Amino acid sequence: MLLRGLMITTMLTSIVIVLAGVLAIPVALARMSPRRWLRWPADLFVEVVRATPLILQLVYIYYVLPSIGIRLEPFSAAIIGLTLNYTAYMSEVYRSGIAAIPRGQREAALSLGLGPSLTFRKVILPQAFRIVVPALGNYLIALFKDTALASVVTVQELMFTGQIIAARNYQYFTIYTITAVLYFAVGYPSALLVRRLEAWSSRSLQPTRGRNA
């Protein structure tokens, strides 16, 4: 049962990190847009998410939305709540990475005949991604642990499964120790991967020497 719970936790983490990683890009661009009709809704979304706890967002989606006719399965509600939360936070990471790229690179690309869309995809985004890789890796680890909050919408992920088993047999020390070991077995390798990504990112951002240097 615990391994099944770990599988659900891993599935939640994988799905949410991909969805949030993709959705955070247009949110970041909307917040950087000079058009207020784009910027204001994105600002409102990010500030509301950041100003309210994740557990409240999950409860609202699963328990409050049915009162207006929107009913979701527990797993779907968990995915939506976690994705919205991490989209808001990761959009700020993307925004800082994009803002860190010198404006001259964008101007040089445009002067060479590249359109704004192609300039962003080929010049700005790859460099910004290298800058934000370490932060995104840390969010991956945080998300893996935050999936435990999905238990409030009755998703039987690893932590909730441990609670159910412990409540049945009262072997709290054994069950929660095994649960902690399973979290560590996935979380620690993820942390090592993030370290490698940080090292790769720092090397790729170092200016290359010229041949005559």
Side-chain angles (χ1 to χ4, degrees), residues 17-199:
I17 199 67
V18 171
L19 291 176
V22 173
L23 295 175
I25 297 176
V27 174
L29 294 176
R31 296 202 73 192
M32 300 177 70
S33 174
R35 298 180 177 86
R36 288 185 293 181
W37 63 272
L38 276 176
R39 189 175 67 252
W40 285 4
D43 287 342
L44 178 63
F45 164 71
V46 172
E47 295 305 327
V48 168
V49 170
R50 293 171 64 185
T52 54
L54 173 56
I55 190 171
L56 174 61
Q57 296 161 18
L58 291 168
V59 168
Y60 198 92
I61 291 172
Y62 187 69
Y63 293 104
V64 178
L65 290 185
S67 63
I68 59 173
I70 302 176
R71 300 182 182 276
L72 298 169
E73 297 294 328
F75 193 77
S76 300
I79 288 178
I80 292 173
L82 290 167
T83 298
L84 291 176
N85 185 273
Y86 274 80
T87 294
Y89 283 96
M90 291 171 67
S91 69
E92 288 295 278
V93 175
Y94 281 126
R95 189 163 69 100
S96 63
I98 295 171
I101 306 301
R103 186 175 181 84
Q105 295 198 25
R106 183 181 290 103
E107 295 173 349
L110 293 174
S111 68
L112 291 174
L114 297 178
S117 176
L118 191 59
T119 297
F120 177 76
R121 289 188 289 108
K122 297 294 185 180
V123 179
I124 304 302
L125 188 59
Q127 297 182 78
F129 183 74
R130 291 189 181 95
I131 295 173
V132 304
V133 157
L136 295 180
N138 289 327
Y139 274 119
L140 172 63
I141 298 173
L143 173 60
F144 177 70
K145 294 181 291 185
D146 280 348
T147 54
L149 295 176
S151 61
V152 302
V153 295
T154 70
V155 174
Q156 293 190 18
E157 41 68 55
L158 178 56
M159 187 64 189
F160 191 36
T161 302
Q163 291 175 341
I164 293 173
I165 298 174
R168 290 175 180 173
N169 57 28
Y170 302 103
Q171 297 180 9
Y172 294 102
F173 177 82
T174 302
I175 298 303
Y176 284 123
T177 300
I178 296 174
T179 301
V181 169
L182 291 175
Y183 270 113
F184 182 81
V186 176
Y188 184 67
S190 300
L192 294 179
L193 176 61
V194 170
R195 291 182 189 175
R196 288 183 176 272
L197 290 174
E198 289 176 348

Side-chain angles (χ1 to χ4, degrees), residues 6-16 75 79:
L6 178 62
M7 182 181 68
I8 294 175
T9 293
T10 305
M11 286 178 56
L12 270 175
T13 303
S14 302
I15 294 172
V16 171
F75 193 77
I79 288 178

